[in-house]
Amino acid sequence: MARSQPADVPVESPQVGPRGPHATLALAAAVVLALATVVAFTLVPGRGISTPSVVRALPQWVGLPWPVQGQSSVAVEGLGTIGSRGEQRPVPIASVTKVMTAYVVLQDHPLDGTAADNPTITVDQQAADESFSAEESTAPVRAGQQLSQRQLLELMMLPSGNNIARLLARWDAGSENAFVAKMNRCAHALGMTNTTYTGASGIQDSTTSTSDDQLVLAQRAMAVPVLAAIVATESTTVPGVPGTVKNTNDLVGHDGVVGLKTGSSTAAGGNLAWAARASTPSGPRLVIGVVLHQDAGDPPARGLRAALNVSHTLITAVQDALAQQTPPPSGGGSSGTAVGTSPLPGATTPRRA
């Protein structure tokens, strides 16, 4: 099957189950996972030999083309987390932050896809004024303009509108600071112990996380139907917003990719939380991954291009491996939250991107 090539794009906790055969399989897999740890020194073009990069994966996944820079983590529906690479230390994540922003908004104001359950929100002057910023990615809106919650989520997630992220935060919680407190409470509830949010958009370099933590969130986010539908959109139009609203994730629509969110800045480098469909002998599965900190320190456009390229390589390799894999025993796989797990009850209370 011919694979498409990504094009350049604009900047912008383990579960404890009952004892028995399945528990034994899970324990055995966890032991194997602990044994299958590889320390590698990698030559990064233009950067010399990198610091040691640790691959933690089940044996059959150690040989995947894990990105040599930064951090990366992957989970497969029904198998849980299959592996990760890189030191899991908090790093800036740029606009990948917006996954949590959207998740919290939809936890507080769920949408069922009907017009009756899609409140209208009035654009305030601050969001309109920020539309003209040359320092960050924004979406063009006017003060007094009325847009639905879903339309604003589209303007935040597809072109990565920072002004829209802050607008939604103010609408939800009264102020961005109050909303950020909700984001951090949600992260704590989800077990994201290496994550700190300091803004709703991700423009602050002080918002930091790890690929393992963001993988937990990405799985939860893709379990929200409305959010999954939005991030699978290549482009759309929004009344009153000029032109076509395009997704900064250029992989969407190719090779089974159905999400999720880009992020880039000089400090964060290029980042991508992604989701893709894969065919297996036992049926289709959803694969979710996170790649962080690619070409950090370089121009954001270069970092984002690197994140998209290495993610594409990793996605297609996982898909090819799953297509040839013998169906796993029920309950097998590594420890970790399974892809598609429904949201935790009470998870919340009440040019760079």
Side-chain angles (χ1 to χ4, degrees):
M1 172 178 167
R3 299 288 191 183
S4 62
Q5 295 299 318
D8 291 355
V9 298
V11 176
E12 57 125 352
S13 58
Q15 299 178 344
V16 179
R19 295 185 182 276
H22 292 173
T24 302
L25 282 169
L27 176 60
V31 171
V32 174
L33 178 60
L35 293 174
T37 300
V38 177
V39 179
F41 292 84
T42 346
L43 182 63
V44 180
R47 297 173 183 269
I49 297 178
S50 72
T51 55
S53 180
V54 179
V55 179
R56 296 166 298 277
L58 293 173
Q60 63 268 39
W61 302 108
V62 169
L64 286 174
W66 299 96
V68 299
Q69 299 181 60
Q71 308 170 23
S72 51
S73 304
V74 178
V76 178
E77 181 180 12
L79 300 180
T81 302
I82 63 169
S84 64
R85 178 168 184 163
E87 181 186 358
Q88 293 295 308
R89 62 181 180 84
V91 294
I93 60 173
S95 279
V96 173
T97 298
K98 295 183 176 81
V99 178
M100 179 62 91
T101 302
Y103 184 74
V104 171
V105 167
L106 287 167
Q107 291 291 289
D108 289 347
H109 307 276
L111 297 178
D112 62 11
T114 66
D117 191 32
N118 192 11
T120 298
I121 301 169
T122 302
V123 176
D124 61 18
Q125 189 64 53
Q126 181 177 341
D129 290 345
E130 290 171 350
S131 295
F132 301 101
S133 173
E135 303 301 321
E136 57 181 333
S137 59
T138 62
V141 289
R142 307 184 311 276
Q145 186 176 5
Q146 293 194 321
L147 296 168
S148 70
Q149 178 184 336
R150 175 163 181 151
Q151 288 169 334
L152 288 174
L153 286 168
E154 290 171 343
L155 289 173
M156 177 179 71
M157 297 302 287
L158 301 187
S160 204
N162 287 354
N163 57 329
I164 306 302
R166 294 187 287 265
L167 172 61
L168 282 168
R170 293 191 296 273
W171 171 73
D172 175 270
S175 71
E176 185 177 4
N177 286 341
F179 186 82
V180 170
K182 286 187 176 188
M183 296 172 75
N184 284 309
R185 286 197 295 270
C186 184
H188 177 77
L190 293 175
M192 300 167 63
T193 57
N194 289 314
T195 297
T196 303
Y197 292 102
T198 59
S201 69
I203 193 169
Q204 298 91 346
D205 293 335
S206 51
T207 288
T208 58
S209 188
T210 65
S211 61
D212 281 356
D213 274 10
Q214 289 302 306
L215 183 64
V216 171
L217 176 60
Q219 293 175 79
R220 299 284 178 162
M222 289 302 293
V224 180
V226 168
L227 183 51
I230 289 172
V231 298
T233 304
E234 294 181 63
S235 64
T236 189
T237 57
V238 174
V241 175
T244 300
V245 177
K246 296 182 179 180
N247 196 331
T248 56
N249 182 358
D250 196 63
L251 303 185
V252 168
H254 306 281
D255 294 321
V257 178
V258 292
L260 182 62
K261 187 69 191 78
T262 61
S264 60
S265 71
T266 301
N271 307 273
L272 183 67
W274 50 261
R277 302 289 179 190
S279 297
T280 77
S282 57
R285 295 180 187 266
L286 184 65
V287 184
I288 295 179
V290 177
V291 170
L292 300 180
H293 221 49
Q294 302 300 299
D295 285 349
D298 287 340
R302 173 174 173 172
L304 180 55
R305 184 160 56 248
L308 288 162
N309 288 342
V310 297
S311 293
H312 180 262
T313 299
L314 185 56
I315 289 166
T316 56
V318 174
Q319 289 171 327
D320 288 344
L322 286 171
Q324 303 169 36
Q325 191 178 57
T326 302
S330 176
S334 69
S335 63
T337 305
V339 176
T341 304
S342 57
L344 284 174
T348 61
T349 50
R351 291 283 172 197
R352 60 179 189 172

